[in-house]
Amino acid sequence: MTPDSPTSRPTIHKQVLTLSVLSLGYLLLSFILVGFKPDQLFLIALVNGLYYASTPTRKFIIGFSIFLVYWIIFDYMKAFPNYQYAFVHIESLYSLEKTLFGISDGQSILTPNEYWLAHRTPFLDILTGVLYLTWIPIPLLFGTYLFFRNRPAFFPFALTFVLVNFLGFVVYYLYPAAPPWYVQLYGFTFHEHTPGNTAGLANFDRLVGVPIFAGIYAKSSNVFAAMPSLHSSYPVIVLYYGLKNRLGLVNVFFALVMAGIWFSAVYNSHHYVLDVTGGLLSALAGIILFNQLRRTSCLNAFMRWLLKLTV
């Protein structure tokens, strides 16, 4: 029996029906939870277009549906703000950051964010902005590389990525936390419905003359989700699987990007050093947990099923 034989895969009519139901269900649920947005139509067009365009693109979008699940859940978090379920930590996190990582500057002790706010340079504004733009493209490009060059290695990477995000989401709801820029703008007073803010990345937008980060942070799901920094988690996952796949000097690049993103998060007042540390620990926890789950027959069967769908 060949992989493309009628008895080994759904008929075209069943595929069309299934994808149509999923697409309409997504649009309906999205409208109920977060309202209509053009992004939703773009996603539906992308998924359907790749699915029907050719066999290789269909396999690709099936594999990358793992990342789509993450994106959709992240978007739906707008409907359930974490500050409605737990106390938001603002002053306590700031004070702990200053106690552990405070920097002497004249007569004052500053958090690292405050220090860099007072010592910004155009060079670092551009460099950190470029680095911060890589936090999603590099994992996706690395995942694309694995998908086409080593498909059995792609699914552990993709599933670890999603698992780390889910661990981070749990912490967001257990420990809502304000980012450093919030303290700079609002002090220690809690204001719900606070919009997203580009913070130090506004300098990058100004220098390049394009509101790149302004557009990104206008779509922020929740500003009180600074701990852990999942921006800081992603390059750790990429480096880990880069090392597992023995990519040589490419891993040096991954390590430099990882350190750069960590610094950028602090430099631009989007995260405390504590948030970055939380992101590192979340990534390590997700990697360890996934490796433990790989010993179970259920997860192995699930990955074999995914692999069969995309061979």
Side-chain angles (χ1 to χ4, degrees):
M1 182 184 299
T2 63
D4 291 325
S5 64
T7 55
S8 65
R9 63 182 176 87
T11 64
I12 186 63
H13 298 91
K14 186 174 181 180
Q15 293 178 58
V16 170
L17 178 61
T18 300
L19 189 56
S20 298
V21 169
L22 289 174
S23 298
L24 291 174
Y26 163 70
L27 289 175
L28 178 60
L29 184 59
S30 297
F31 179 76
I32 294 172
L33 292 179
V34 297
F36 171 77
K37 295 182 295 182
D39 294 355
Q40 297 158 5
L41 290 180
F42 172 78
L43 181 61
I44 291 299
L46 178 67
V47 171
N48 282 265
L50 290 176
Y51 189 88
Y52 294 119
S54 67
T55 298
T57 58
R58 181 177 69 248
K59 294 175 181 179
F60 178 79
I61 197 61
I62 289 174
F64 269 73
S65 62
I66 297 172
F67 292 99
L68 295 180
V69 169
Y70 145 73
W71 187 90
I72 291 171
I73 292 176
F74 178 76
D75 188 44
Y76 286 173
M77 288 172 64
K78 295 184 179 73
F80 309 97
N82 60 348
Y83 56 76
Q84 294 183 350
Y85 304 94
F87 174 78
V88 176
H89 299 267
I90 305 174
E91 185 174 4
S92 58
L93 189 59
Y94 169 86
S95 299
L96 182 59
E97 177 83 358
K98 181 176 285 191
T99 299
L100 295 177
F101 303 107
I103 300 172
S104 296
D105 191 48
Q107 301 299 314
S108 304
I109 301 295
L110 306 177
T111 66
N113 311 99
E114 292 170 332
Y115 175 83
W116 286 113
L117 185 64
H119 297 82
R120 304 190 66 88
T121 68
F123 172 75
L124 287 177
D125 288 340
I126 292 293
L127 178 63
T128 57
V130 170
L131 286 166
Y132 223 53
L133 284 173
T134 68
W135 67 282
I136 279 294
I138 284 185
L140 291 181
L141 288 172
F142 179 60
T144 301
Y145 166 81
L146 289 178
F147 185 84
F148 288 108
R149 293 295 299 270
N150 187 358
R151 199 157 301 174
F154 166 77
F155 290 107
F157 165 72
L159 291 171
T160 300
F161 180 89
V162 173
L163 177 60
V164 170
N165 276 281
F166 286 170
L167 293 177
F169 294 168
V170 170
V171 178
Y172 286 169
Y173 282 91
L174 293 177
Y175 188 87
W181 62 258
Y182 182 93
V183 174
Q184 295 165 13
L185 292 177
Y186 304 105
F188 301 129
T189 303
F190 169 67
H191 299 281
E192 62 179 70
H193 307 305
T194 301
N197 193 284
T198 55
L201 293 169
N203 292 285
F204 176 87
D205 283 359
R206 176 177 55 80
L207 289 168
V208 301
V210 181
I212 297 174
F213 286 105
I216 293 173
Y217 283 95
K219 302 175 183 178
S220 177
S221 286
N222 189 353
V223 303
F224 301 109
M227 170 65 80
S229 166
L230 289 177
H231 289 75
S232 302
S233 299
Y234 300 160
V236 178
I237 304 168
V238 171
L239 179 59
Y240 171 77
Y241 279 98
L243 292 170
K244 285 200 69 173
N245 286 275
R246 301 179 180 179
L247 296 185
L249 290 177
V250 174
N251 289 321
V252 176
F253 169 73
F254 287 159
L256 291 174
V257 169
M258 178 179 70
I261 289 177
W262 291 355
F263 173 72
S264 301
V266 176
Y267 176 83
N268 289 297
S269 291
H270 278 274
H271 291 285
Y272 294 113
V273 175
L274 285 169
D275 303 335
V276 172
T277 304
L280 168 62
L281 294 177
S282 295
L284 295 178
I287 290 168
I288 292 170
L289 177 57
F290 181 81
N291 287 334
Q292 292 297 315
L293 292 173
R294 285 201 71 176
R295 300 179 180 180
T296 65
S297 58
C298 291
L299 181 57
N300 283 304
F302 179 60
M303 287 196 293
R304 286 195 299 270
W305 176 71
L306 290 172
L307 188 58
K308 184 179 178 180
L309 288 176
T310 57
V311 293

